[in-house]
Amino acid sequence: MNAVELNGLTKDYGEVLANDDVTFEIEAGEIFGYLGPNGAGKTTTIRMLLGFISPTAGSATVLGADVTDERALIDAKHRIGYLPDDPQFDETATGREILEIHADLKGDRRSEELIDLFGPPLDRTIREYSHGNVRKLGLVTTFMHEPDLVILDEPTGGLDPLMKQRFAEFVRTERERGLTVFFSSHVLGEVRRLCDRVGIIRDGRLVTVEPIESLLERSGKVVRLAAADPIPIDAIDERLDGIYDLEHGDGVAGAAGAETGDGPTDFDAGETDRSTRESAAESFREYTFTFTGDVNELFETLGSYSLVDCTIEEAPLEDVFLRFYGEENDQARPTASPSGER
C-alpha cells in the first residue's frame, strides 16, 4: 500500500489557484522530495494532506486515511510526524517543557537519542532560541514518537552545514528502517542528496514526478573556469553532451581577482600597481556554463589546457525549471500564491 496518494488534489481560493489537479503517490519506505520555488504550492499540498485546509476538488489519503475524514485522519496522525516550515512553540516554555507536552500528546520512544543527535538547548525558554535551535527542537518533536511517516516542510532552514549533514544521515538511516519521508524544499542540492524520487511543482501545477537519477541528469552543475589561455569551448561542446548557457569574457577573472581578492590571481595586489594588475588581467579568460554531463569526462577533456581556477556548484533551481520544464509549464493556468505560501 502507498503511504500517500493524491488524485487530482486542487485548492482554489478564487483569485488564487494554489494547487491545480495534483496527482502522485509516495511508496511506503521511500524518501520523496517535493521540489519547487517559494510560492509554488508545496505548503498548500502539505496542509491539505494533514487536514488543516480542505481541498476544493480531488482526493488524497495518508496512511490509508481519507484526508477529508476527520476521525480517520486523527487516528492516522498518531503515526505521522510533522515539521512545519516555521514551527510555533510557546515562547514562555522551555524546550524541555515543550517535549513533555508532546510526549503526553503522542508518546515518547526516543527523545533522549534525538536530543543527543540534534542538541536543542532544553533549559532555555523558546524566546531565547535562535531559528536554528527552534528547528532542532522541531526535529526532536517530529521523530520522538517513532512515526511511520514524516512530513517535513523545508526541514533544514536555519541549520548549519554540519547539522544539515547530520540530519541527512539520520533520515537515510531511518529510511533503511522502513520510515516513509515526504519533504518539501526549494534547495536542489538537498533533494539530490536524499531522495529516491522527486515531484516538481510550479505555480500550483505538478510538472513532473521522476526518479532522482533523472533529475541529476537534467539539473547539472554550474562550472566556472579561469584559464591563462583561451579554451575552445565550442570544440569541447562538440565532443561532450551537456554544455548550456555558455558565457565567456576576456580579463574578467583576473580583473575581479585584482580588485576584490576574490578571483584567481598570480600576483600580490598589495605590491603591484594598477597598470600591472590590468595587464595581468588581460592574460585570463573566464568561462561560465551549466554542464549536465559527466564531470569526470569534462575534467579529462580540460586536462590539456592551462586552468588557473575552477569552481563547480549547484545549478540555480529556477534555471533548471526554465531549461527543462518551462515549455510544459507554459500550458499551466496563471496563478499567484497566497501570502506566506511556499
Side-chain angles (χ1 to χ4, degrees):
M1 183 179 70
N2 292 321
V4 178
E5 294 184 358
L6 294 79
N7 185 17
L9 204 63
T10 299
K11 185 60 180 180
D12 191 346
Y13 289 98
E15 295 182 357
V16 175
L17 186 58
N19 270 198
D20 184 6
D21 194 28
V22 176
T23 300
F24 63 87
E25 73 286 330
I26 302 173
E27 298 175 4
E30 79 168 324
I31 301 177
F32 187 94
Y34 202 35
L35 184 63
N38 287 334
K42 302 186 300 294
T43 297
T44 293
T45 304
I46 288 173
R47 288 174 178 169
M48 285 192 285
L49 290 178
L50 291 169
F52 299 152
I53 56 176
S54 299
T56 305
S59 61
T61 61
V62 180
L63 298 180
D66 186 330
V67 298
T68 63
D69 184 335
E70 184 177 357
R71 183 179 297 277
L73 191 58
I74 289 174
D75 290 340
K77 283 182 179 180
H78 290 294
R79 300 161 54 204
I80 298 173
Y82 169 53
L83 180 64
D85 173 55
D86 184 20
Q88 299 292 317
F89 299 119
D90 181 356
E91 292 191 347
T92 66
T94 65
R96 194 175 305 280
E97 289 169 338
I98 295 295
L99 292 185
E100 290 172 354
I101 293 171
H102 278 259
D104 290 340
L105 290 173
K106 58 190 180 184
D108 179 9
R109 298 183 181 180
R110 56 188 311 190
S111 66
E112 291 302 320
E113 169 197 351
L114 295 166
I115 290 166
D116 290 341
L117 181 65
F118 297 117
L122 297 183
D123 294 324
R124 297 184 196 171
T125 61
I126 302 303
R127 68 164 56 97
E128 300 175 89
Y129 272 33
S130 65
H131 182 51
N133 281 332
V134 170
R135 184 72 58 182
K136 292 175 186 178
L137 183 65
L139 289 171
V140 177
T141 62
T142 299
F143 290 92
M144 63 187 293
H145 58 301
E146 207 165 38
D148 298 321
L149 165 70
V150 292
I151 298 176
L152 311 170
D153 196 355
E154 303 283 354
T156 62
L159 298 181
D160 61 47
L162 179 60
M163 193 57 62
K164 288 180 181 180
Q165 180 179 351
R166 187 174 297 178
F167 165 76
E169 292 172 351
F170 171 74
V171 168
R172 282 192 289 265
T173 300
E174 292 304 298
R175 190 266 307 275
E176 292 173 1
R177 297 176 179 175
L179 178 69
T180 305
V181 180
F182 174 39
F183 80 93
S184 75
S185 179
H186 67 277
V187 181
L188 183 59
E190 186 171 73
V191 172
R192 289 167 64 110
R193 288 190 296 272
L194 281 174
C195 293
D196 301 304
R197 289 190 305 141
V198 61
I200 296 178
I201 187 171
R202 191 178 188 207
D203 293 333
R205 298 202 72 177
L206 192 68
V207 178
T208 186
V209 175
E210 57 189 62
I212 192 63
E213 292 82 3
S214 299
L215 180 66
L216 297 180
E217 291 174 359
R218 288 172 177 260
S219 61
K221 300 280 188 178
V222 174
V223 180
R224 293 184 174 88
L225 305 174
D229 299 302
I231 299 176
I233 296 291
D234 290 342
I236 292 174
D237 191 13
E238 293 178 0
R239 296 166 56 187
L240 295 175
D241 292 330
I243 293 179
Y244 299 89
D245 305 330
L246 172 64
E247 297 179 5
H248 58 86
D250 294 340
V252 175
E259 295 298 328
T260 69
D262 294 330
T265 181
D266 58 357
F267 53 81
D268 186 342
E271 298 178 1
T272 309
D273 61 23
R274 181 178 180 83
S275 62
T276 304
R277 294 199 300 271
E278 291 176 347
S279 176
E282 292 175 359
S283 68
F284 290 96
R285 303 293 183 268
E286 186 176 73
Y287 305 85
T288 301
F289 54 89
T290 299
F291 185 63
T292 61
D294 187 327
V295 174
N296 294 312
E297 292 181 5
L298 176 64
F299 282 146
E300 183 178 348
T301 303
L302 294 172
S304 59
Y305 301 100
S306 179
L307 297 182
V308 176
D309 191 27
C310 176
T311 61
I312 299 179
E313 59 189 39
E314 295 288 351
L317 179 59
E318 190 62 23
D319 288 357
V320 176
F321 278 126
L322 292 176
R323 184 177 303 112
F324 298 112
Y325 305 115
E327 182 177 347
E328 296 148 285
N329 193 66
D330 286 343
Q331 305 303 316
R333 170 179 164 181
T335 61
S337 293
S339 176
E341 176 55 64
R342 291 174 174 81

